[in-house]
Amino acid sequence: MVKFSEEQLAEFNRLVSRYPEGKQKSALLPVLHLAQDSFGGWLSAETMDYVAEMLQISSIEVYEVATFYSMYNLKPVGKYMFEVCQTGPCMLRGSDDIIAYIGEKLGIKPGETTSDGMFTLKTVECLGACGYAPMMQLGKHYREHLTREKVDAIIEECRSKAANMN
Amino acid sequence: MSIKLLLEKAHVEGIRYFDVYRREGGYRSVEKALKEMGPEAIVEEVKKSGLRGRGGAGFPAGMKWSFIAKPEGVPRHLVCNADESEPGTFKDRYLMEFIPHLLIEGLIVSSFALGSNDTYIYIRGEYAWIVDILEQAISEAKNNGFLGNNILGTGFNCNIHVQRGAGAYICGEETALIESLEGKRGNPRIKPPFPAVQGVWMRPTVVNNVETLAAVVPIINMGGEEYAKIGVGRSTGTKLISACGNINKPGVYEIDMTISVEEFIYSDEYCGGIANGKKLKACIPGGSSVPILPANLLLKTAKGETRYMNYESLSDGGFATGSMMGSGGFIVLDEDQCVVRHTLSLARFYRHESCGQCSPCREGTGWMEKILKNIEYGKGKLSDIDLLWDIQRKIEGNTICPLGDAAAWPVAAAIRHFRDEFEWHVLHPEEAQQ
Ligand SMILES: NC(=O)C1=CN([C@@H]2O[C@H](COP(=O)(O)OP(=O)(O)OC[C@H]3O[C@@H](n4cnc5c(N)ncnc54)[C@H](O)[C@@H]3O)[C@@H](O)[C@H]2O)C=CC1
Ligand SMILES: Cc1cc2nc3c(=O)[nH]c(=O)nc-3n(C[C@H](O)[C@H](O)[C@H](O)COP(=O)(O)O)c2cc1C
Ligand code: SF4
Ligand code: FES
């Protein structure tokens, strides 16, 4: 069963308090981020229904928002998601090559997750880092000026982080 | 020598923190505006400055502020547009990341001028770490009496809230942004009514870009008239340009709008020339939505005059031979780049980002991507080029918001200036497939 912890609930209340009385629906986007981060990195139907209940809105209002925005995952994703930008300015600096290289190294195509559930590769559109291309988003941060060597190092970094967590 | 009004202090060690920012003269404009000037006087200064919206449309900021409706008893809001998603544009990020207090300072003064007690920064969801930087700056400002209740003892109350988006280019369009801020899908509203009359929660709302609001700080400090002396014609003040693509020094530059495009590209102070000793082929000077120009029309206008980095000069010649300042996203293509391929990538972007409300945009962007893909991969016909032209014409002007136009213009300009490349792909299918 999904349920916010004490700490998550405090954050939920802080988010809702930023909007006028009766306009708690305005907190939907930030609350969905919170829910996604809290419940396994994606939004299950159960999670979305919970968010609807918490915000006192109907489930359909949550579904239509969750399906509109690209940052909400509607399916489980790997522990580490490589979101590589493929738009024009990044392409001019070799993003195609980086995407192909990551795919080759991990043995997956864009949109897929490795069988051990460790990595997801996703191509995304311009992330506002065009001057530091090629680049990708990894969790909360950007990894910029990517080269094949940097990609190797990032994959290693993720693997050893995961190993230390176990 | 260039004049820096926004980024002058961006590299001072620790400028991200209140104490250093304050020591460097920060928050003076708040003291001046709240204690010595009133809301009307601030709006007046912004009008005198000639400041134009830095989000892309270039609408005069002071004029927009003076349009805000003031119905009795209805709260008003200022919303800062930090959605920055136009390919080629990353200037707002730079400003928020390196000198966040400048934005907060501008927001306090602007909120006071507009009578906004709750001001929102809507930031694209991917800039997650910048949310932390902004929230830190806001809490520092609050702890020092520049935000919260009774600011500087003047009786003015103001709080700033940061709301993250969740990945949707369309939410940069101000009415889509407002819908998103209300917790809905980012479907643009029909304008008018403009947000200044009916915005968030149907209350009068001013939406301004990050850079526009930051520029209010130097305007208040130096006075609107002094600010207006910088630059040329209706391009007053300084402008942030984010430069990317095949140049030696990609990055964010603050320019005084009197420099030429040639100087911007080749001078070491800015882009430092084309990377790897290549030649300049083309450039999209104002973010992906504006027309691409071949090198000859970029450096000189059709009349043979020098082209400058300002609103008027970049649009000289209209769409036939000119382009636009737009958001200041400057994308440079070297001689090895394929215009068809680049245009295809942008077409895919717009298809992906269309909100789907209007059929010309929803269907048209899909068709354009498909046809461009065929041409790029050597499966096109010559008649496809005309078909493409026809589709983009049918989108332009027939949609609720300008995303449709933004998708149409890059395709139109690419065909207008580089038709031979499209034809080459069709006539050399084998080579094109590689
Ligand atoms: N920075 C970025 O990432 C992006 C920027 N853009 C830019 O956005 C531009 C289009 O933006 P729009 O907001 O659709 O342009 P617009 O011309 O409709 O509006 C510009 C601003 O002026 C205000 N305004 C205009 N007439 C008004 C009136 N009579 N009363 C009150 N307010 C009024 C609008 O509310 C808006 O804030 C494009 O030119 C493009 O360059 C587009 C995509 C992304
Ligand atoms: C599709 C689309 C996307 C936009 N994205 C942004 C954006 O990311 N940032 C921005 O400031 N303005 C963006 N705009 C322009 C806004 O609608 C609006 O004009 C701007 O925020 C007003 O601020 P300004 O007057 O300070 O420029 C976009 C417009 C369109 C049509
Ligand atoms: S033009 Fe496109 S993005 Fe804009 S409202 Fe219509 S369908 Fe949506
Ligand atoms: S095009 Fe990749 S970050 Fe902008």
Side-chain angles (χ1 to χ4, degrees):
Chain A
M1 223 194 59
V2 296
K3 197 168 185 317
F4 283 141
S5 67
E6 201 91 336
E7 201 182 315
Q8 289 155 355
L9 205 58
E11 177 62 5
F12 171 85
N13 287 326
R14 185 185 78 91
L15 293 172
V16 172
S17 76
R18 306 189 302 193
Y19 307 96
E21 280 286 321
K23 303 291 181 197
Q24 78 284 355
K25 180 177 174 178
S26 296
L28 181 52
L29 270 71
V31 170
L32 281 174
H33 280 301
L34 176 68
Q36 177 160 292
D37 293 345
S38 307
F39 307 123
W42 68 293
L43 297 171
S44 64
E46 193 192 0
T47 300
M48 290 190 275
D49 291 343
Y50 177 67
V51 166
E53 190 193 313
M54 291 295 291
L55 285 173
Q56 296 164 295
I57 56 179
S58 60
S59 291
I60 183 73
E61 291 173 274
V62 179
Y63 303 159
E64 63 180 18
V65 163
T67 52
F68 185 83
Y69 296 92
S70 67
M71 291 183 78
Y72 299 129
N73 303 315
L74 302 171
K75 284 189 312 209
V77 292
K79 198 176 222 130
Y80 299 100
M81 182 145 69
F82 290 0
E83 299 180 85
V84 193
C85 174
Q86 61 171 351
T87 313
C90 275
M91 197 182 76
L92 295 173
R93 312 272 312 193
S95 59
D96 286 359
D97 181 56
I98 292 294
I99 294 164
Y101 182 67
I102 298 174
E104 218 173 274
K105 272 226 51 158
L106 299 176
I108 50 176
K109 288 203 279 292
E112 294 178 351
T113 300
T114 52
S115 53
D116 59 0
M118 188 79 89
F119 298 102
T120 299
L121 172 61
K122 190 175 163 191
T123 52
V124 294
E125 301 295 344
C126 182
L127 293 181
C130 331
Y132 323 106
M135 63 78 63
M136 68 171 166
Q137 176 151 35
L138 176 57
K140 200 171 179 177
H141 295 274
Y142 285 3
R143 301 300 178 99
E144 299 170 331
H145 296 298
L146 293 177
T147 57
R148 289 175 172 226
E149 292 71 33
K150 270 202 188 168
V151 166
D152 290 344
I154 293 167
I155 292 174
E156 260 330 292
E157 179 194 319
C158 294
R159 288 213 167 104
S160 66
K161 229 193 271 171
N164 287 336
M165 272 193 279
N166 289 335
Chain B
M1 204 32 227
S2 59
I3 305 165
K4 290 199 171 34
L5 301 178
L6 303 177
L7 300 184
E8 188 194 355
K9 301 274 164 77
H11 292 294
V12 172
E13 172 95 21
I15 197 76
R16 198 184 267 178
Y17 302 101
F18 181 88
D19 293 343
V20 178
Y21 182 75
R22 181 80 173 133
R23 194 182 69 216
E24 293 289 330
Y27 288 98
R28 267 187 302 141
S29 76
V30 178
E31 292 171 317
K32 183 170 174 186
L34 270 61
K35 291 185 174 163
E36 297 165 29
M37 302 166 73
E40 290 80 26
I42 300 170
V43 176
E44 221 27 63
E45 285 308 312
V46 174
K47 271 191 181 164
K48 275 192 223 153
S49 74
L51 174 67
R52 293 169 67 176
R54 303 296 196 225
F59 193 83
M63 197 189 296
K64 179 154 69 183
W65 288 12
S66 66
F67 285 163
I68 192 164
K70 294 181 176 162
E72 203 59 39
V74 181
R76 301 187 285 276
H77 295 284
L78 170 65
V79 175
C80 170
N81 189 343
D83 193 60
E84 187 159 72
S85 313
E86 170 99 335
T89 317
F90 48 100
K91 65 185 178 71
D92 298 337
R93 165 191 170 183
Y94 189 90
L95 202 152
M96 294 187 285
E97 198 169 1
F98 293 103
I99 185 159
H101 280 288
L102 183 69
L103 174 61
I104 305 303
E105 181 176 354
L107 281 171
I108 300 168
V109 173
S110 309
S111 299
F112 178 66
L114 293 161
S116 168
N117 303 120
D118 283 287
T119 290
Y120 296 86
I121 301 176
Y122 183 97
I123 184 165
R124 67 176 299 173
E126 294 88 347
Y127 286 173
W129 76 100
I130 301 179
V131 173
D132 295 346
I133 295 174
L134 291 172
E135 288 194 331
Q136 157 93 18
I138 289 167
S139 84
E140 285 182 328
K142 197 166 181 167
N143 292 340
N144 286 280
F146 285 97
L147 276 173
N149 288 338
N150 193 18
I151 298 172
L152 304 180
T154 59
F156 175 57
N157 305 335
C158 182
N159 283 301
I160 300 176
H161 315 278
V162 187
Q163 158 143 352
R164 260 177 92 191
Y169 166 70
I170 191 58
C171 289
E173 193 283 327
E174 57 180 4
T175 62
L177 185 156
I178 287 169
E179 288 283 305
S180 184
L181 195 54
E182 293 182 356
K184 303 178 195 149
R185 297 167 76 98
N187 287 347
R189 299 175 180 171
I190 291 171
K191 294 197 285 194
F194 285 96
V197 177
Q198 262 180 18
V200 63
W201 309 302
M202 292 300 162
R203 298 169 177 180
T205 304
V206 161
V207 181
N208 271 131
N209 175 255
V210 169
E211 185 189 347
T212 312
L213 292 163
V216 170
V217 175
I219 289 170
I220 295 304
N221 284 336
M222 68 201 291
E225 256 162 53
E226 281 305 304
Y227 183 91
K229 285 184 192 155
I230 302 165
V232 56
R234 292 185 59 230
S235 299
T236 62
T238 61
K239 175 86 191 83
L240 297 183
I241 305 287
S242 56
C244 62
N246 310 116
I247 46 176
N248 280 318
K249 290 170 52 196
V252 177
Y253 299 100
E254 180 169 6
I255 63 160
D256 137 9
M257 290 184 268
T258 59
I259 66 168
S260 70
V261 175
E262 185 161 2
E263 180 182 353
F264 184 69
I265 296 180
Y266 293 101
S267 138
D268 277 335
E269 202 181 333
Y270 306 108
C271 304
I274 308 303
N276 306 316
K278 303 266 184 208
K279 284 207 205 61
L280 169 69
K281 174 176 185 172
C283 172
I284 303 177
S288 62
S289 310
V290 312
I292 188 171
L293 287 177
N296 59 332
L297 284 175
L298 175 74
L299 304 177
K300 295 239 188 295
T301 66
K303 285 172 271 171
E305 289 161 1
T306 303
R307 203 185 280 282
Y308 294 93
M309 296 287 290
N310 61 49
Y311 291 93
E312 291 79 10
S313 187
L314 285 172
S315 57
D316 186 298
F319 279 7
T321 58
S323 184
M324 277 163 80
M325 174 69 116
S327 62
F330 197 86
I331 310 167
V332 178
L333 280 70
D334 72 24
E335 57 189 316
D336 292 348
Q337 304 302 330
C338 167
V339 169
V340 178
R341 192 172 160 73
H342 196 261
T343 308
L344 165 60
S345 141
L346 296 183
R348 181 187 58 212
F349 172 83
Y350 288 106
R351 189 263 304 146
H352 184 260
E353 303 298 340
S354 167
C355 84
Q357 276 192 113
C358 330
S359 9
C361 171
R362 181 187 62 239
E363 304 302 322
T365 51
W367 291 341
M368 290 198 300
E369 183 194 7
K370 209 160 155 188
I371 297 167
L372 277 161
K373 208 178 225 167
N374 281 341
I375 297 176
E376 164 69 13
Y377 293 106
K379 296 189 194 101
K381 303 191 285 283
L382 279 177
S383 61
D384 284 342
I385 304 172
D386 295 320
L387 181 59
L388 210 46
W389 182 264
D390 201 42
I391 294 171
Q392 68 79 20
R393 286 220 18 215
K394 288 191 171 121
I395 301 175
E396 193 190 351
N398 291 322
T399 57
I400 294 176
C401 92
L403 186 140
D405 302 341
W409 295 341
V411 173
I415 298 177
R416 189 179 296 121
H417 300 299
F418 295 94
R419 196 179 184 102
D420 55 334
E421 266 185 54
F422 287 82
E423 290 173 352
W424 182 90
H425 277 76
V426 172
L427 300 172
H428 302 83
E430 257 125 66
E431 285 160 81
Q433 268 164 23
Q434 284 159 15

